[in-house]
Short mmCIF file of all heavy atoms in Angstrom, two decimals:
data_model
loop_
_atom_site.label_atom_id
_atom_site.label_comp_id
_atom_site.label_asym_id
_atom_site.label_seq_id
_atom_site.Cartn_x
_atom_site.Cartn_y
_atom_site.Cartn_z
N MET Y 13 81.76 95.91 107.21
CA MET Y 13 82.96 96.72 107.15
C MET Y 13 84.04 96.00 106.34
O MET Y 13 84.19 94.80 106.40
CB MET Y 13 83.46 96.98 108.58
CG MET Y 13 84.57 98.00 108.60
SD MET Y 13 84.90 98.56 110.26
CE MET Y 13 86.58 99.14 110.02
N ASN Y 14 84.78 96.78 105.55
CA ASN Y 14 85.80 96.21 104.70
C ASN Y 14 87.07 95.93 105.50
O ASN Y 14 87.61 96.81 106.15
CB ASN Y 14 86.09 97.21 103.57
CG ASN Y 14 86.82 96.54 102.43
OD1 ASN Y 14 87.56 95.59 102.65
ND2 ASN Y 14 86.59 97.04 101.23
N ALA Y 15 87.57 94.70 105.42
CA ALA Y 15 88.74 94.33 106.19
C ALA Y 15 90.03 94.84 105.56
O ALA Y 15 91.03 94.99 106.24
CB ALA Y 15 88.80 92.83 106.34
N ASN Y 16 90.02 95.07 104.26
CA ASN Y 16 91.22 95.53 103.56
C ASN Y 16 91.17 97.04 103.40
O ASN Y 16 90.32 97.56 102.67
CB ASN Y 16 91.31 94.85 102.19
CG ASN Y 16 92.58 95.24 101.46
OD1 ASN Y 16 93.29 96.19 101.85
ND2 ASN Y 16 92.88 94.53 100.39
N PRO Y 17 92.07 97.78 104.05
CA PRO Y 17 92.01 99.24 103.97
C PRO Y 17 92.36 99.78 102.59
O PRO Y 17 92.16 100.96 102.33
CB PRO Y 17 93.04 99.69 105.01
CG PRO Y 17 93.98 98.54 105.14
CD PRO Y 17 93.16 97.31 104.90
N ASN Y 18 92.87 98.93 101.71
CA ASN Y 18 93.22 99.38 100.36
C ASN Y 18 92.29 98.82 99.30
O ASN Y 18 92.64 98.69 98.14
CB ASN Y 18 94.68 99.01 100.04
CG ASN Y 18 95.63 99.81 100.89
OD1 ASN Y 18 95.47 101.03 101.05
ND2 ASN Y 18 96.61 99.15 101.46
N GLU Y 19 91.08 98.47 99.73
CA GLU Y 19 90.07 97.97 98.80
C GLU Y 19 88.79 98.75 99.05
O GLU Y 19 88.35 98.88 100.20
CB GLU Y 19 89.85 96.48 99.01
CG GLU Y 19 88.90 95.87 98.00
CD GLU Y 19 88.79 94.35 98.19
OE1 GLU Y 19 89.82 93.67 98.05
OE2 GLU Y 19 87.69 93.89 98.51
N PHE Y 20 88.19 99.27 97.98
CA PHE Y 20 87.04 100.16 98.12
C PHE Y 20 85.97 99.70 97.13
O PHE Y 20 86.27 99.49 95.95
CB PHE Y 20 87.44 101.61 97.82
CG PHE Y 20 88.67 102.04 98.59
CD1 PHE Y 20 89.94 101.83 98.07
CD2 PHE Y 20 88.55 102.62 99.84
CE1 PHE Y 20 91.08 102.20 98.78
CE2 PHE Y 20 89.68 102.99 100.55
CZ PHE Y 20 90.94 102.79 100.03
N SER Y 21 84.73 99.60 97.57
CA SER Y 21 83.69 99.08 96.70
C SER Y 21 82.44 99.94 96.75
O SER Y 21 82.11 100.52 97.79
CB SER Y 21 83.31 97.65 97.11
OG SER Y 21 84.39 96.78 96.96
N ASN Y 22 81.77 100.04 95.61
CA ASN Y 22 80.39 100.51 95.59
C ASN Y 22 79.55 99.37 95.01
O ASN Y 22 80.04 98.23 94.94
CB ASN Y 22 80.25 101.83 94.81
CG ASN Y 22 80.57 101.68 93.34
OD1 ASN Y 22 80.61 100.58 92.80
ND2 ASN Y 22 80.80 102.80 92.67
N GLU Y 23 78.34 99.64 94.58
CA GLU Y 23 77.49 98.54 94.12
C GLU Y 23 77.97 97.96 92.80
O GLU Y 23 77.59 96.84 92.44
CB GLU Y 23 76.05 99.03 93.99
CG GLU Y 23 75.43 99.32 95.34
CD GLU Y 23 73.99 99.78 95.22
OE1 GLU Y 23 73.50 99.94 94.10
OE2 GLU Y 23 73.38 99.99 96.28
N GLU Y 24 78.78 98.69 92.04
CA GLU Y 24 79.16 98.24 90.70
C GLU Y 24 80.62 97.83 90.57
O GLU Y 24 80.95 96.93 89.80
CB GLU Y 24 78.89 99.37 89.69
CG GLU Y 24 77.44 99.73 89.59
CD GLU Y 24 77.23 100.98 88.77
OE1 GLU Y 24 78.12 101.84 88.75
OE2 GLU Y 24 76.17 101.09 88.16
N ILE Y 25 81.48 98.51 91.30
CA ILE Y 25 82.91 98.28 91.09
C ILE Y 25 83.66 98.15 92.41
O ILE Y 25 83.18 98.58 93.46
CB ILE Y 25 83.56 99.43 90.28
CG1 ILE Y 25 83.40 100.76 91.02
CG2 ILE Y 25 83.00 99.50 88.87
CD1 ILE Y 25 84.18 101.91 90.39
N THR Y 26 84.86 97.56 92.31
CA THR Y 26 85.81 97.53 93.42
C THR Y 26 87.11 98.13 92.92
O THR Y 26 87.61 97.76 91.85
CB THR Y 26 86.06 96.09 93.89
OG1 THR Y 26 84.85 95.57 94.44
CG2 THR Y 26 87.15 96.04 94.97
N VAL Y 27 87.63 99.07 93.68
CA VAL Y 27 88.92 99.68 93.37
C VAL Y 27 89.92 99.20 94.41
O VAL Y 27 89.64 99.21 95.61
CB VAL Y 27 88.82 101.22 93.40
CG1 VAL Y 27 90.21 101.86 93.29
CG2 VAL Y 27 87.92 101.72 92.28
N THR Y 28 91.09 98.75 93.94
CA THR Y 28 92.15 98.34 94.86
C THR Y 28 93.35 99.25 94.68
O THR Y 28 93.59 99.78 93.59
CB THR Y 28 92.57 96.87 94.63
OG1 THR Y 28 93.06 96.73 93.30
CG2 THR Y 28 91.41 95.93 94.87
N PHE Y 29 94.08 99.43 95.77
CA PHE Y 29 95.25 100.30 95.75
C PHE Y 29 96.42 99.54 96.36
O PHE Y 29 96.32 99.02 97.46
CB PHE Y 29 94.97 101.57 96.57
CG PHE Y 29 96.18 102.42 96.77
CD1 PHE Y 29 96.81 103.02 95.70
CD2 PHE Y 29 96.69 102.62 98.05
CE1 PHE Y 29 97.95 103.79 95.89
CE2 PHE Y 29 97.82 103.41 98.25
CZ PHE Y 29 98.45 103.99 97.16
N ASN Y 30 97.52 99.49 95.61
CA ASN Y 30 98.74 98.84 96.10
C ASN Y 30 99.77 99.93 96.41
O ASN Y 30 100.40 100.47 95.49
CB ASN Y 30 99.28 97.87 95.05
CG ASN Y 30 100.50 97.12 95.55
OD1 ASN Y 30 101.15 97.55 96.50
ND2 ASN Y 30 100.81 96.03 94.91
N PRO Y 31 99.95 100.29 97.68
CA PRO Y 31 100.86 101.39 98.00
C PRO Y 31 102.30 101.11 97.60
O PRO Y 31 103.07 102.05 97.39
CB PRO Y 31 100.71 101.54 99.52
CG PRO Y 31 100.09 100.27 100.00
CD PRO Y 31 99.30 99.71 98.85
N ARG Y 32 102.68 99.85 97.46
CA ARG Y 32 104.06 99.54 97.07
C ARG Y 32 104.32 99.88 95.61
O ARG Y 32 105.45 100.08 95.20
CB ARG Y 32 104.36 98.07 97.33
CG ARG Y 32 104.53 97.77 98.81
CD ARG Y 32 104.76 96.31 99.06
NE ARG Y 32 103.59 95.53 98.69
CZ ARG Y 32 103.50 94.22 98.74
NH1 ARG Y 32 104.54 93.52 99.12
NH2 ARG Y 32 102.40 93.59 98.42
N LYS Y 33 103.26 99.93 94.80
CA LYS Y 33 103.43 100.28 93.38
C LYS Y 33 103.29 101.77 93.13
O LYS Y 33 103.76 102.29 92.12
CB LYS Y 33 102.37 99.55 92.54
CG LYS Y 33 102.66 98.11 92.27
CD LYS Y 33 101.66 97.58 91.26
CE LYS Y 33 101.99 96.18 90.82
NZ LYS Y 33 101.00 95.69 89.83
N CYS Y 34 102.62 102.47 94.02
CA CYS Y 34 102.31 103.89 93.80
C CYS Y 34 103.60 104.71 93.70
O CYS Y 34 104.49 104.59 94.54
CB CYS Y 34 101.45 104.41 94.95
SG CYS Y 34 101.05 106.16 94.81
N ILE Y 35 103.68 105.53 92.64
CA ILE Y 35 104.85 106.39 92.46
C ILE Y 35 104.53 107.84 92.80
O ILE Y 35 105.27 108.76 92.47
CB ILE Y 35 105.39 106.29 91.02
CG1 ILE Y 35 104.30 106.64 90.01
CG2 ILE Y 35 105.96 104.89 90.75
CD1 ILE Y 35 104.80 106.73 88.58
N ASN Y 36 103.38 108.04 93.46
CA ASN Y 36 103.00 109.37 93.94
C ASN Y 36 102.95 110.42 92.84
O ASN Y 36 103.33 111.57 93.05
CB ASN Y 36 103.94 109.83 95.07
CG ASN Y 36 103.71 109.03 96.33
OD1 ASN Y 36 102.58 108.79 96.72
ND2 ASN Y 36 104.78 108.59 96.96
N ALA Y 37 102.53 110.01 91.66
CA ALA Y 37 102.41 110.97 90.57
C ALA Y 37 101.20 111.90 90.77
O ALA Y 37 101.09 112.92 90.10
CB ALA Y 37 102.27 110.24 89.24
N GLU Y 38 100.32 111.55 91.68
CA GLU Y 38 99.14 112.35 92.01
C GLU Y 38 98.19 112.53 90.85
O GLU Y 38 97.37 113.44 90.84
CB GLU Y 38 99.55 113.73 92.56
CG GLU Y 38 100.25 113.62 93.90
CD GLU Y 38 100.58 114.98 94.49
OE1 GLU Y 38 100.12 115.99 93.94
OE2 GLU Y 38 101.30 115.01 95.49
N LYS Y 39 98.33 111.69 89.84
CA LYS Y 39 97.43 111.80 88.70
C LYS Y 39 95.98 111.56 89.15
O LYS Y 39 95.06 112.23 88.68
CB LYS Y 39 97.82 110.77 87.64
CG LYS Y 39 97.62 111.27 86.25
CD LYS Y 39 98.31 110.38 85.23
CE LYS Y 39 98.08 111.02 83.88
NZ LYS Y 39 99.14 110.93 82.96
N CYS Y 40 95.80 110.63 90.06
CA CYS Y 40 94.45 110.33 90.52
C CYS Y 40 93.87 111.51 91.30
O CYS Y 40 92.73 111.93 91.06
CB CYS Y 40 94.45 109.07 91.37
SG CYS Y 40 95.63 109.07 92.73
N ALA Y 41 94.65 112.07 92.22
CA ALA Y 41 94.15 113.17 93.05
C ALA Y 41 93.89 114.43 92.23
O ALA Y 41 92.95 115.19 92.52
CB ALA Y 41 95.16 113.48 94.15
N LYS Y 42 94.68 114.64 91.20
CA LYS Y 42 94.47 115.83 90.36
C LYS Y 42 93.33 115.61 89.38
O LYS Y 42 92.61 116.53 89.04
CB LYS Y 42 95.76 116.17 89.62
CG LYS Y 42 96.82 116.77 90.53
CD LYS Y 42 98.10 117.05 89.79
CE LYS Y 42 99.13 117.63 90.76
NZ LYS Y 42 100.51 117.45 90.31
N GLY Y 43 93.19 114.38 88.89
CA GLY Y 43 92.18 114.11 87.88
C GLY Y 43 90.78 114.00 88.44
O GLY Y 43 89.82 114.42 87.81
N LEU Y 44 90.65 113.42 89.64
CA LEU Y 44 89.33 113.21 90.22
C LEU Y 44 89.44 113.42 91.74
O LEU Y 44 89.35 112.48 92.53
CB LEU Y 44 88.85 111.79 89.89
CG LEU Y 44 87.34 111.51 89.88
CD1 LEU Y 44 86.58 112.50 88.99
CD2 LEU Y 44 87.08 110.08 89.43
N PRO Y 45 89.65 114.67 92.17
CA PRO Y 45 89.95 114.95 93.58
C PRO Y 45 88.80 114.64 94.54
O PRO Y 45 89.06 114.42 95.73
CB PRO Y 45 90.30 116.44 93.58
CG PRO Y 45 89.70 116.99 92.34
CD PRO Y 45 89.71 115.87 91.34
N SER Y 46 87.57 114.60 94.06
CA SER Y 46 86.47 114.28 94.97
C SER Y 46 86.49 112.81 95.38
O SER Y 46 85.98 112.45 96.44
CB SER Y 46 85.13 114.61 94.30
OG SER Y 46 84.99 113.87 93.11
N VAL Y 47 87.12 111.97 94.56
CA VAL Y 47 87.19 110.53 94.86
C VAL Y 47 88.54 110.17 95.47
O VAL Y 47 88.60 109.51 96.51
CB VAL Y 47 86.96 109.70 93.57
CG1 VAL Y 47 87.21 108.21 93.84
CG2 VAL Y 47 85.55 109.92 93.05
N PHE Y 48 89.63 110.60 94.82
CA PHE Y 48 90.97 110.26 95.29
C PHE Y 48 91.50 111.45 96.10
O PHE Y 48 92.10 112.38 95.56
CB PHE Y 48 91.87 109.92 94.10
CG PHE Y 48 91.36 108.74 93.31
CD1 PHE Y 48 90.68 108.94 92.12
CD2 PHE Y 48 91.51 107.46 93.79
CE1 PHE Y 48 90.18 107.86 91.40
CE2 PHE Y 48 91.01 106.37 93.09
CZ PHE Y 48 90.35 106.57 91.89
N ARG Y 49 91.23 111.39 97.40
CA ARG Y 49 91.46 112.54 98.26
C ARG Y 49 92.81 112.46 98.94
O ARG Y 49 93.30 111.38 99.24
CB ARG Y 49 90.34 112.62 99.29
CG ARG Y 49 88.97 112.61 98.61
CD ARG Y 49 87.85 112.53 99.59
NE ARG Y 49 87.89 111.34 100.40
CZ ARG Y 49 87.10 111.15 101.45
NH1 ARG Y 49 86.23 112.08 101.80
NH2 ARG Y 49 87.18 110.04 102.15
N GLN Y 50 93.36 113.59 99.22
CA GLN Y 50 94.64 113.64 99.90
C GLN Y 50 94.42 113.98 101.36
O GLN Y 50 93.59 114.83 101.69
CB GLN Y 50 95.56 114.68 99.25
CG GLN Y 50 95.97 114.27 97.83
CD GLN Y 50 96.83 115.30 97.16
OE1 GLN Y 50 96.46 116.47 97.11
NE2 GLN Y 50 97.98 114.89 96.65
N ALA Y 51 95.18 113.35 102.23
CA ALA Y 51 95.16 113.64 103.67
C ALA Y 51 93.80 113.37 104.31
O ALA Y 51 93.41 114.02 105.27
CB ALA Y 51 95.58 115.08 103.93
N VAL Y 52 93.05 112.42 103.76
CA VAL Y 52 91.77 112.03 104.34
C VAL Y 52 91.73 110.50 104.38
O VAL Y 52 92.21 109.84 103.46
CB VAL Y 52 90.57 112.54 103.48
CG1 VAL Y 52 89.26 112.17 104.14
CG2 VAL Y 52 90.67 114.03 103.26
N ILE Y 53 91.21 109.94 105.43
CA ILE Y 53 91.05 108.49 105.53
C ILE Y 53 89.57 108.19 105.71
O ILE Y 53 88.94 108.77 106.59
CB ILE Y 53 91.87 107.92 106.70
CG1 ILE Y 53 93.36 108.12 106.41
CG2 ILE Y 53 91.56 106.45 106.90
CD1 ILE Y 53 94.26 107.70 107.55
N PRO Y 54 88.97 107.28 104.92
CA PRO Y 54 89.60 106.59 103.80
C PRO Y 54 89.83 107.55 102.64
O PRO Y 54 89.00 108.42 102.38
CB PRO Y 54 88.58 105.51 103.44
CG PRO Y 54 87.27 106.08 103.86
CD PRO Y 54 87.56 106.92 105.08
N TRP Y 55 90.94 107.37 101.92
CA TRP Y 55 91.29 108.37 100.91
C TRP Y 55 90.53 108.18 99.60
O TRP Y 55 90.43 109.11 98.81
CB TRP Y 55 92.80 108.40 100.69
CG TRP Y 55 93.38 107.25 99.91
CD1 TRP Y 55 93.66 106.01 100.38
CD2 TRP Y 55 93.77 107.25 98.54
NE1 TRP Y 55 94.19 105.23 99.38
CE2 TRP Y 55 94.28 105.96 98.25
CE3 TRP Y 55 93.75 108.21 97.52
CZ2 TRP Y 55 94.76 105.62 96.99
CZ3 TRP Y 55 94.22 107.86 96.28
CH2 TRP Y 55 94.72 106.57 96.01
N VAL Y 56 89.97 106.98 99.37
CA VAL Y 56 89.17 106.76 98.18
C VAL Y 56 87.69 106.79 98.57
O VAL Y 56 87.25 106.02 99.42
CB VAL Y 56 89.51 105.42 97.51
CG1 VAL Y 56 88.59 105.17 96.31
CG2 VAL Y 56 90.97 105.41 97.06
N LYS Y 57 86.93 107.69 97.95
CA LYS Y 57 85.51 107.87 98.27
C LYS Y 57 84.72 107.58 97.00
O LYS Y 57 84.50 108.48 96.16
CB LYS Y 57 85.28 109.30 98.76
CG LYS Y 57 83.90 109.56 99.31
CD LYS Y 57 83.88 110.93 99.98
CE LYS Y 57 82.60 111.17 100.73
NZ LYS Y 57 81.47 111.46 99.85
N LEU Y 58 84.28 106.33 96.86
CA LEU Y 58 83.69 105.91 95.58
C LEU Y 58 82.33 106.53 95.29
O LEU Y 58 81.91 106.55 94.14
CB LEU Y 58 83.57 104.38 95.55
CG LEU Y 58 84.86 103.59 95.36
CD1 LEU Y 58 84.54 102.14 95.08
CD2 LEU Y 58 85.72 104.16 94.26
N ASP Y 59 81.64 107.04 96.30
CA ASP Y 59 80.31 107.60 96.01
C ASP Y 59 80.38 109.07 95.59
O ASP Y 59 79.36 109.73 95.46
CB ASP Y 59 79.36 107.42 97.20
CG ASP Y 59 79.86 108.10 98.45
OD1 ASP Y 59 80.93 108.74 98.41
OD2 ASP Y 59 79.17 107.99 99.49
N ALA Y 60 81.58 109.57 95.33
CA ALA Y 60 81.73 110.97 94.95
C ALA Y 60 81.76 111.18 93.43
O ALA Y 60 81.89 112.31 92.96
CB ALA Y 60 82.99 111.55 95.59
N ALA Y 61 81.66 110.11 92.66
CA ALA Y 61 81.63 110.22 91.20
C ALA Y 61 80.98 108.96 90.65
O ALA Y 61 80.75 107.99 91.38
CB ALA Y 61 83.05 110.36 90.64
N SER Y 62 80.69 108.99 89.34
CA SER Y 62 80.07 107.80 88.74
C SER Y 62 81.13 106.71 88.58
O SER Y 62 82.34 106.98 88.53
CB SER Y 62 79.49 108.14 87.37
OG SER Y 62 80.53 108.33 86.43
N SER Y 63 80.66 105.48 88.49
CA SER Y 63 81.60 104.36 88.33
C SER Y 63 82.41 104.52 87.05
O SER Y 63 83.61 104.22 87.02
CB SER Y 63 80.82 103.04 88.30
OG SER Y 63 80.24 102.80 89.57
N GLU Y 64 81.79 105.04 85.99
CA GLU Y 64 82.52 105.22 84.72
C GLU Y 64 83.63 106.25 84.88
O GLU Y 64 84.74 106.06 84.36
CB GLU Y 64 81.56 105.65 83.60
CG GLU Y 64 80.53 104.60 83.23
CD GLU Y 64 81.15 103.23 82.95
OE1 GLU Y 64 82.17 103.16 82.24
OE2 GLU Y 64 80.62 102.22 83.46
N GLU Y 65 83.37 107.33 85.58
CA GLU Y 65 84.41 108.34 85.82
C GLU Y 65 85.56 107.74 86.61
O GLU Y 65 86.73 108.01 86.33
CB GLU Y 65 83.83 109.53 86.60
CG GLU Y 65 82.91 110.42 85.81
CD GLU Y 65 82.33 111.52 86.67
OE1 GLU Y 65 81.50 111.22 87.56
OE2 GLU Y 65 82.72 112.67 86.46
N ILE Y 66 85.24 106.93 87.60
CA ILE Y 66 86.27 106.31 88.43
C ILE Y 66 87.09 105.32 87.61
O ILE Y 66 88.31 105.31 87.66
CB ILE Y 66 85.63 105.62 89.65
CG1 ILE Y 66 84.99 106.69 90.55
CG2 ILE Y 66 86.67 104.81 90.42
CD1 ILE Y 66 84.05 106.12 91.60
N ILE Y 67 86.42 104.51 86.81
CA ILE Y 67 87.13 103.55 85.96
C ILE Y 67 88.08 104.28 85.02
O ILE Y 67 89.25 103.90 84.85
CB ILE Y 67 86.12 102.70 85.15
CG1 ILE Y 67 85.39 101.75 86.09
CG2 ILE Y 67 86.83 101.93 84.04
CD1 ILE Y 67 84.16 101.10 85.46
N ASN Y 68 87.61 105.36 84.41
CA ASN Y 68 88.46 106.11 83.48
C ASN Y 68 89.68 106.69 84.19
O ASN Y 68 90.77 106.71 83.64
CB ASN Y 68 87.65 107.24 82.82
CG ASN Y 68 86.69 106.70 81.79
OD1 ASN Y 68 86.91 105.63 81.24
ND2 ASN Y 68 85.64 107.44 81.52
N GLN Y 69 89.50 107.15 85.43
CA GLN Y 69 90.62 107.71 86.17
C GLN Y 69 91.60 106.62 86.58
O GLN Y 69 92.82 106.79 86.49
CB GLN Y 69 90.12 108.48 87.39
CG GLN Y 69 91.22 109.27 88.08
CD GLN Y 69 91.83 110.33 87.18
OE1 GLN Y 69 91.13 111.09 86.54
NE2 GLN Y 69 93.15 110.34 87.09
N VAL Y 70 91.09 105.47 87.02
CA VAL Y 70 91.96 104.36 87.42
C VAL Y 70 92.84 103.93 86.24
O VAL Y 70 94.02 103.62 86.40
CB VAL Y 70 91.12 103.18 87.95
CG1 VAL Y 70 91.95 101.91 88.05
CG2 VAL Y 70 90.54 103.53 89.32
N ARG Y 71 92.29 103.96 85.04
CA ARG Y 71 93.06 103.56 83.85
C ARG Y 71 94.24 104.50 83.60
O ARG Y 71 95.19 104.13 82.92
CB ARG Y 71 92.15 103.56 82.61
CG ARG Y 71 91.22 102.39 82.58
CD ARG Y 71 90.43 102.37 81.29
NE ARG Y 71 89.65 101.14 81.18
CZ ARG Y 71 88.42 101.08 80.71
NH1 ARG Y 71 87.83 102.18 80.28
NH2 ARG Y 71 87.78 99.95 80.66
N LYS Y 72 94.18 105.71 84.13
CA LYS Y 72 95.27 106.68 83.91
C LYS Y 72 96.38 106.56 84.94
O LYS Y 72 97.40 107.24 84.83
CB LYS Y 72 94.69 108.10 83.94
CG LYS Y 72 93.75 108.38 82.79
CD LYS Y 72 93.11 109.75 82.94
CE LYS Y 72 92.05 109.96 81.86
NZ LYS Y 72 91.17 111.10 82.16
N CYS Y 73 96.21 105.71 85.93
CA CYS Y 73 97.26 105.54 86.96
C CYS Y 73 98.53 105.01 86.28
O CYS Y 73 98.51 103.94 85.68
CB CYS Y 73 96.78 104.57 88.03
SG CYS Y 73 98.06 104.16 89.24
N PRO Y 74 99.63 105.76 86.34
CA PRO Y 74 100.82 105.38 85.58
C PRO Y 74 101.56 104.17 86.13
O PRO Y 74 102.35 103.54 85.42
CB PRO Y 74 101.70 106.64 85.65
CG PRO Y 74 101.26 107.33 86.90
CD PRO Y 74 99.79 107.03 87.05
N SER Y 75 101.34 103.82 87.38
CA SER Y 75 102.12 102.75 88.01
C SER Y 75 101.38 101.42 88.09
O SER Y 75 101.99 100.39 88.36
CB SER Y 75 102.49 103.18 89.43
OG SER Y 75 101.32 103.22 90.23
N GLY Y 76 100.08 101.45 87.90
CA GLY Y 76 99.29 100.23 88.10
C GLY Y 76 98.92 100.02 89.55
O GLY Y 76 98.39 98.96 89.91
N ALA Y 77 99.20 101.00 90.41
CA ALA Y 77 98.85 100.86 91.83
C ALA Y 77 97.34 100.78 92.01
O ALA Y 77 96.85 100.10 92.91
CB ALA Y 77 99.41 102.04 92.62
N LEU Y 78 96.61 101.49 91.18
CA LEU Y 78 95.15 101.44 91.23
C LEU Y 78 94.65 100.42 90.21
O LEU Y 78 95.09 100.43 89.05
CB LEU Y 78 94.55 102.82 90.90
CG LEU Y 78 94.70 103.90 91.97
CD1 LEU Y 78 94.23 105.24 91.40
CD2 LEU Y 78 93.92 103.55 93.23
N GLN Y 79 93.77 99.56 90.65
CA GLN Y 79 93.12 98.60 89.76
C GLN Y 79 91.62 98.68 90.01
O GLN Y 79 91.18 99.08 91.09
CB GLN Y 79 93.61 97.18 90.05
CG GLN Y 79 95.10 96.96 89.82
CD GLN Y 79 95.49 96.95 88.35
OE1 GLN Y 79 94.79 96.37 87.53
NE2 GLN Y 79 96.60 97.59 88.02
N CYS Y 80 90.86 98.29 89.02
CA CYS Y 80 89.41 98.38 89.15
C CYS Y 80 88.76 97.13 88.58
O CYS Y 80 89.18 96.63 87.53
CB CYS Y 80 88.92 99.62 88.40
SG CYS Y 80 87.22 100.01 88.72
N TYR Y 81 87.77 96.63 89.28
CA TYR Y 81 87.07 95.42 88.86
C TYR Y 81 85.57 95.65 88.88
O TYR Y 81 85.06 96.35 89.74
CB TYR Y 81 87.40 94.25 89.80
CG TYR Y 81 88.88 94.00 89.94
CD1 TYR Y 81 89.63 94.69 90.89
CD2 TYR Y 81 89.51 93.09 89.11
CE1 TYR Y 81 91.00 94.48 91.01
CE2 TYR Y 81 90.88 92.86 89.22
CZ TYR Y 81 91.61 93.56 90.17
OH TYR Y 81 92.95 93.35 90.29
N ARG Y 82 84.88 95.07 87.91
CA ARG Y 82 83.42 95.13 87.91
C ARG Y 82 82.87 93.71 87.77
O ARG Y 82 83.26 92.99 86.86
CB ARG Y 82 82.93 95.98 86.74
CG ARG Y 82 81.44 96.05 86.75
CD ARG Y 82 80.76 96.87 85.67
NE ARG Y 82 81.52 97.53 84.68
CZ ARG Y 82 81.28 98.78 84.28
NH1 ARG Y 82 80.33 99.47 84.83
NH2 ARG Y 82 81.99 99.32 83.32
N LYS Y 83 82.00 93.34 88.67
CA LYS Y 83 81.40 92.00 88.63
C LYS Y 83 82.45 90.92 88.44
O LYS Y 83 82.36 90.09 87.55
CB LYS Y 83 80.35 91.90 87.52
CG LYS Y 83 79.13 92.76 87.78
CD LYS Y 83 78.14 92.60 86.68
CE LYS Y 83 76.93 93.49 86.90
NZ LYS Y 83 76.03 93.49 85.77
N SER Y 84 83.51 90.98 89.24
CA SER Y 84 84.61 90.03 89.27
C SER Y 84 85.42 90.01 87.98
O SER Y 84 86.23 89.13 87.78
CB SER Y 84 84.14 88.62 89.60
OG SER Y 84 83.49 88.05 88.50
N GLN Y 85 85.23 90.99 87.08
CA GLN Y 85 86.08 91.06 85.89
C GLN Y 85 86.95 92.30 85.98
O GLN Y 85 86.49 93.36 86.38
CB GLN Y 85 85.24 91.17 84.61
CG GLN Y 85 84.48 89.91 84.29
CD GLN Y 85 83.69 90.10 83.02
OE1 GLN Y 85 83.25 91.19 82.71
NE2 GLN Y 85 83.51 89.01 82.30
N GLU Y 86 88.20 92.16 85.56
CA GLU Y 86 89.08 93.32 85.57
C GLU Y 86 88.69 94.25 84.43
O GLU Y 86 88.54 93.82 83.30
CB GLU Y 86 90.54 92.88 85.41
CG GLU Y 86 91.50 94.02 85.62
CD GLU Y 86 92.95 93.55 85.60
OE1 GLU Y 86 93.19 92.37 85.85
OE2 GLU Y 86 93.80 94.39 85.35
N VAL Y 87 88.49 95.54 84.74
CA VAL Y 87 88.09 96.48 83.69
C VAL Y 87 89.11 97.58 83.50
O VAL Y 87 88.97 98.40 82.62
CB VAL Y 87 86.71 97.11 84.00
CG1 VAL Y 87 85.64 96.05 84.00
CG2 VAL Y 87 86.74 97.86 85.31
N ALA Y 88 90.12 97.65 84.33
CA ALA Y 88 91.10 98.72 84.17
C ALA Y 88 92.46 98.23 84.61
O ALA Y 88 92.58 97.26 85.31
CB ALA Y 88 90.69 99.94 84.99
S1 LIG K 117 97.70 107.87 89.98
FE1 LIG K 117 98.48 105.90 90.69
S2 LIG K 117 100.67 106.24 90.96
FE2 LIG K 117 99.70 108.25 90.91
S3 LIG K 117 99.27 108.77 93.06
FE3 LIG K 117 97.43 107.79 92.21
S4 LIG K 117 97.69 105.64 92.75
FE4 LIG K 117 99.69 106.56 92.96
#
């Protein structure tokens, strides 16, 4: 079980979320709603899309609240 509620991993990537940076632009929820869900806990569901789709969406986060890492390297 993951000890950090704002860290989400699948076999390829880890997505982190910093709520203090989030400006609630909802770009993530609108762009990839199956992964970045509203009013659901856990709100990030990494097995609902491919890692590439998730990486591309994380890159569009305007605040930097979402970050993505693959094999310990930052990719977004
Ligand atoms: S795209 Fe980034 S800033 Fe916008 S709601 Fe998602 S995490 Fe927050």
